[in-house]
Amino acid sequence: MWDYSFAVPSMFIISIILVFYFSLPRLSLRVNRTFLDILVVESMVIFLDVVSSWADEHYAETSNSVLYILNGLYFVFFFARAYVFFAFTATVFRLDPGKRPVTTSLLRLPCVVAAVIAMSCPWTGLIYSIQEDGYHSGAFYDLVYYIFFLYLAFSFFIIFAYRKNLDRRRHRYSIFLANAVLLLGLIVRRMYPTLLLMDTFCIMAVIIMYLAFQNPEFYLELRGSVFNSTAFRDYIDENNGKLHDKAVGMVVHNYHEMRDIYGGRQIDKGISLISDYLLQNFEGCKIFYYRKGRFIILGDGTMSFHDVISTLSKRFNEPWTADDLELYLDVSFVSVEITDKVESADALLNSMIIAMDKADKLDSREPVIISDNEMENNKKENILKRLLVKVVDEDKVEVFLQPIVRADNGQIVGAEALSRIRDDDGKLIPPVAFIHIAEKNGRINKLGEQVFEKACRFIKENDLEKIGVHWINVNLSPMQFMKADLAERYDSILQKYGISPEKIRLEITEESMIDDGFLRKQIHSMQKKGFKFVLDDYGTGYSNITRLKKCPFINVKLDMSLVWDYFNEPDEILPSMVQAFKHMNFTVTAEGIEDERMAKAMRETGCDYFQGYYYSKPLPLDEFLKKYNT
């Protein structure tokens, strides 16, 4: 009556998946628990499908009570299967049922009602009945399809409504494919009910889910011995607000130097030995590895920082040996109590990484304690990171202009374009707060290009010669300067607005001058497009007179710290330096001029231009025009 040729292999496949599932360590994450629910329920469905079908075929030799029990359990688990597949989809999209118990109860209701109806069949026969001639479908048998279809509809709604909750496109496609396979299996079961084919389609969906979301190697490091940073983030995020844990961070001193001394392969073996030691000696803790010799030991509130650090310090007084390996390593420590709701797992992890890097430089085994103030500062930085991403992606970076004036008469001749962003309350945030973040997260290229384009548009839309502005300086960060297509990109913007490169001067800092060869090559390619260069913040970096002779700058800007030092303690060095620049045909700009006394002192050194609050603070474009267009 029923064809078992598809169901039996499915039993073996689900058994293999179960073996692999339990073969490696796993964190207690909701997505792992929900997937385990699928494996258990699916195993029961396949087993009961085969057993109940066999019993129904041999109804004459099987008592009615056994038949009702087997078939009743089969339908209960069948309905449960529909729900757990839906629950996994919801979990993948980070929808936490625990936060909305009423909604969760309502979503479970169809499954519960259907299961109750299935268990009532010995008296009602609504879904199936056992008669003298064996098994028969009941009037409500199609409930099997309706319930499963209902939960699939819920799943597809989540996939489309909450698609932005999944960052990876591959994950979105995978969960959609898994549910599409389930839908196809339901259709095939409706068309060919005797083939027991739906189990095969469900197994296919399970395999898709396993490969996309449950491969244990996604969460494991060091050949599967300890968890990685992704596991740390997911664990903290899922349990945030419920944790009362302690964490000890441990970093191998001078990790990169140790790799140079011992060799990469030897150090990798040593890191594996350390991870094995941590797993064996801190069994109640969760061990995470975050590259470059950095470990995190996460324990409950009873864990003693002193005992953990003391144990590890004693162990690192001895070498790490195995076969032909003998490593002498030293470590530093970080400690933090996770007692309150942290801003995010990334915030906590970043705080620990920053603290571990600090501990590594201190060269001491006394732990660096992560205070509430540091956590708060990192929280603010993370808020600023998100704000920066939003502002740059929405092209809402503002340009302010600060005038550059002639030293001899104070008349405006140019201006420097400075970037500004605003928080959600409209408050301005200065570059010193966000430029370093933009350089870290890669937004600096887009931000710098937006400032350059807005400066070009401003020049195009206004007659700046009328107010005495002959050029606008635009800053290039060292990261921007590394772009191979920088000349082409900036030249295309000039062409877009019909702007002569004479109207724009590009400021680069001394940090950009570390690689002489690349510096000259990049400047040469930009010069061919007509761009001129200004050396910004002279006196804070690596350049010297000899190096400057090799680079065709037209202007050198003395950093305000250099100007202030000279003003407070005049000497012969700065005037001689200014004269040397002028003999090299550089003009010189003094930054940070605050009053007439400073202006007079720097005028006597021979500087050509001044910039500072004495003349004007940076102004929005409209205010700049209003001030100088009179």
Side-chain angles (χ1 to χ4, degrees):
M1 184 178 179
W2 281 283
D3 187 345
Y4 305 100
S5 57
F6 297 101
V8 173
S10 297
M11 292 180 62
F12 287 105
I13 294 173
I14 198 72
S15 300
I16 292 171
I17 294 175
L18 278 165
V19 170
F20 273 91
Y21 184 87
F22 289 108
S23 64
L24 290 171
R26 290 180 182 272
L27 280 176
S28 180
L29 296 173
R30 190 165 59 252
V31 67
N32 291 343
R33 296 192 297 269
T34 309
F35 186 76
L36 182 58
D37 290 342
I38 288 179
L39 294 182
V40 172
V41 171
E42 187 62 30
S43 300
M44 292 301 299
V45 171
I46 296 174
F47 173 75
L48 289 167
D49 197 4
V50 173
V51 172
S52 63
S53 298
W54 181 89
D56 290 339
E57 285 184 336
H58 299 82
Y59 66 91
E61 298 92 27
T62 309
S63 67
N64 284 359
S65 59
V66 172
L67 292 173
Y68 274 118
I69 290 173
L70 290 175
N71 283 280
L73 287 174
Y74 167 72
F75 284 109
V76 167
F77 278 99
F78 188 94
F79 295 133
R81 172 164 67 179
Y83 177 79
V84 294
F85 273 118
F86 157 73
F88 183 82
T89 301
T91 300
V92 163
F93 283 89
R94 301 173 192 152
L95 302 179
D96 186 357
K99 293 181 179 179
R100 296 182 177 179
V102 175
T103 302
T104 303
S105 298
L106 291 175
L107 289 171
R108 289 174 178 169
L109 188 60
C111 174
V112 174
V113 171
V116 170
I117 294 174
M119 295 304 293
S120 71
C121 283
W123 302 278
T124 64
L126 291 174
I127 296 179
Y128 72 95
S129 62
I130 308 297
Q131 301 177 14
E132 291 183 358
D133 56 347
Y135 174 92
H136 288 273
S137 298
F140 281 20
Y141 181 81
D142 283 347
L143 192 64
V144 170
Y145 304 108
Y146 297 150
I147 294 296
F148 211 109
F149 181 79
L150 178 65
Y151 282 113
L152 283 174
F154 290 161
S155 294
F156 283 114
F157 171 79
I158 288 174
I159 290 170
F160 288 105
Y162 296 92
R163 59 187 179 277
K164 292 184 179 180
N165 285 16
L166 278 183
D167 299 328
R168 295 185 179 179
R169 185 180 300 177
R170 179 175 67 88
H171 284 172
R172 293 198 295 269
Y173 290 162
S174 297
I175 197 64
F176 175 82
L177 179 60
N179 280 278
V181 167
L182 291 173
L183 179 60
L184 181 60
L186 188 65
I187 294 171
V188 170
R189 189 185 193 280
R190 184 71 176 85
M191 295 173 62
Y192 307 102
T194 63
L195 291 181
L196 304 186
L197 260 173
M198 189 172 180
D199 294 334
T200 301
F201 282 91
C202 289
I203 289 296
M204 291 167 60
V206 169
I207 292 173
I208 293 170
M209 293 174 175
Y210 180 84
L211 294 176
F213 304 101
Q214 285 295 300
N215 187 336
E217 293 183 0
F218 294 161
Y219 281 143
L220 294 174
E221 196 71 60
L222 302 176
R223 292 175 294 183
S225 57
V226 295
F227 296 111
N228 59 21
S229 58
T230 301
F232 181 84
R233 290 187 181 95
D234 287 356
Y235 181 79
I236 297 298
D237 278 338
E238 183 168 312
N239 295 282
N240 200 359
K242 299 177 287 187
L243 293 171
H244 297 279
D245 292 3
K246 294 180 179 179
V248 172
M250 181 181 74
V251 56
V252 174
H253 263 319
N254 303 318
Y255 176 78
H256 292 293
E257 292 181 19
M258 293 299 101
R259 288 189 75 89
D260 291 339
I261 294 171
Y262 288 110
R265 184 175 297 180
Q266 297 290 80
I267 286 294
D268 289 342
K269 288 181 181 178
I271 294 296
S272 293
L273 288 175
I274 295 171
S275 68
D276 291 341
Y277 174 84
L278 295 176
L279 289 169
Q280 292 169 9
N281 289 270
F282 302 98
E283 293 183 2
C285 300
K286 297 174 180 64
I287 312 298
F288 302 88
Y289 182 69
Y290 188 76
R291 303 191 300 269
K292 300 178 183 178
R294 295 177 290 198
F295 291 86
I296 297 174
I297 304 165
L298 188 64
D300 60 26
T302 63
M303 184 176 77
S304 167
F305 288 136
H306 177 270
D307 291 346
V308 171
I309 293 171
S310 177
T311 300
L312 291 172
S313 295
K314 290 178 181 178
R315 178 61 187 85
F316 274 89
N317 288 333
E318 302 174 4
W320 296 88
T321 58
D323 300 329
D324 59 343
L325 177 71
E326 184 173 346
L327 299 177
Y328 291 86
L329 302 172
D330 199 8
V331 286
S332 295
F333 301 100
V334 166
S335 64
V336 59
E337 291 195 38
I338 314 171
T339 54
D340 298 320
K341 185 175 181 180
V342 297
E343 194 260 334
S344 69
D346 276 330
L348 176 60
L349 183 59
N350 289 342
S351 296
M352 295 200 69
I353 296 305
I354 292 170
M356 281 192 273
D357 290 343
K358 178 181 177 181
D360 188 20
K361 294 175 183 178
L362 293 177
D363 196 25
S364 169
R365 289 186 178 178
E366 286 297 316
V368 172
I369 300 173
I370 301 177
S371 66
D372 291 340
N373 287 337
E374 288 172 311
M375 292 289 289
E376 184 64 25
N377 290 336
N378 285 322
K379 178 181 177 179
K380 292 178 180 178
E381 182 164 316
N382 283 327
I383 292 173
L384 187 54
K385 285 179 184 178
R386 291 193 292 269
L387 175 66
L388 179 65
V389 169
K390 177 183 177 183
V391 169
V392 173
D393 288 351
E394 295 178 359
D395 195 11
K396 291 184 177 179
V397 178
E398 297 183 31
V399 175
F400 280 44
L401 293 177
Q402 185 174 32
I404 299 173
V405 304
R406 288 180 52 167
D408 55 359
N409 60 19
Q411 294 295 309
I412 187 171
V413 290
E416 179 180 358
L418 301 165
S419 58
R420 296 288 189 271
I421 65 175
R422 295 183 187 270
D423 60 20
D424 294 334
D425 297 324
K427 183 180 178 181
L428 279 172
I429 300 173
V432 68
F434 65 82
I435 290 296
H436 71 284
I437 296 176
E439 290 177 334
K440 286 181 181 179
N441 67 13
R443 287 298 193 285
I444 189 64
N445 291 315
K446 195 172 181 180
L447 183 153
E449 194 168 301
Q450 288 175 6
V451 172
F452 181 80
E453 180 163 357
K454 289 175 181 179
C456 289
R457 185 186 304 136
F458 180 73
I459 295 171
K460 174 69 175 178
E461 295 174 351
N462 299 278
D463 185 4
L464 299 184
E465 292 285 348
K466 181 181 176 181
I467 61 175
V469 176
H470 303 293
W471 71 82
I472 291 180
N473 288 7
V474 179
N475 289 281
L476 281 177
S477 81
M479 287 189 63
Q480 283 180 274
F481 203 67
M482 296 299 291
K483 287 188 66 177
D485 64 342
L486 182 65
E488 289 72 19
R489 290 289 303 168
Y490 274 34
D491 182 58
S492 68
I493 295 173
L494 288 180
Q495 299 300 325
K496 177 180 177 180
Y497 293 97
I499 301 298
S500 167
E502 295 288 334
K503 300 290 186 181
I504 294 284
R505 295 182 178 182
L506 300 176
E507 292 191 11
I508 62 173
T509 64
E510 293 185 274
E511 293 177 67
S512 306
M513 299 181 63
I514 298 175
D515 188 334
D516 283 346
F518 184 81
L519 173 73
R520 289 195 295 271
K521 179 181 177 181
Q522 185 74 297
I523 287 182
H524 179 67
S525 65
M526 297 288 285
Q527 274 189 312
K528 288 197 298 184
K529 301 293 184 180
F531 290 103
K532 298 182 185 299
F533 285 88
V534 172
L535 179 61
D536 191 20
D537 296 338
Y538 181 83
T540 62
Y542 310 94
S543 58
N544 52 50
I545 298 294
T546 303
R547 296 186 70 193
L548 289 179
K549 288 173 63 178
K550 302 177 183 179
C551 298
F553 295 108
I554 62 170
N555 179 260
V556 175
K557 298 181 75 173
L558 304 178
D559 185 73
M560 62 184 301
S561 62
L562 206 62
V563 173
W564 277 76
D565 284 345
Y566 173 76
F567 177 70
N568 292 324
E569 296 184 24
D571 54 39
E572 295 299 322
I573 298 176
L574 187 63
S576 300
M577 188 184 300
V578 171
Q579 292 306 312
F581 288 148
K582 294 174 74 66
H583 283 123
M584 296 167 64
N585 294 319
F586 298 149
T587 57
V588 181
T589 301
E591 295 184 291
I593 303 299
E594 298 288 335
D595 55 36
E596 177 57 33
R597 292 184 304 142
M598 289 186 69
K600 182 177 183 296
M602 296 310 298
R603 194 178 294 120
E604 291 173 352
T605 67
C607 289
D608 301 282
Y609 305 112
F610 291 156
Q611 183 177 348
Y613 275 28
Y614 177 56
Y615 300 98
S616 175
K617 65 179 182 179
L619 299 171
L621 298 179
D622 55 345
E623 292 184 24
F624 183 86
L625 282 175
K626 184 178 179 180
K627 179 174 181 177
Y628 293 100
N629 198 18
T630 56

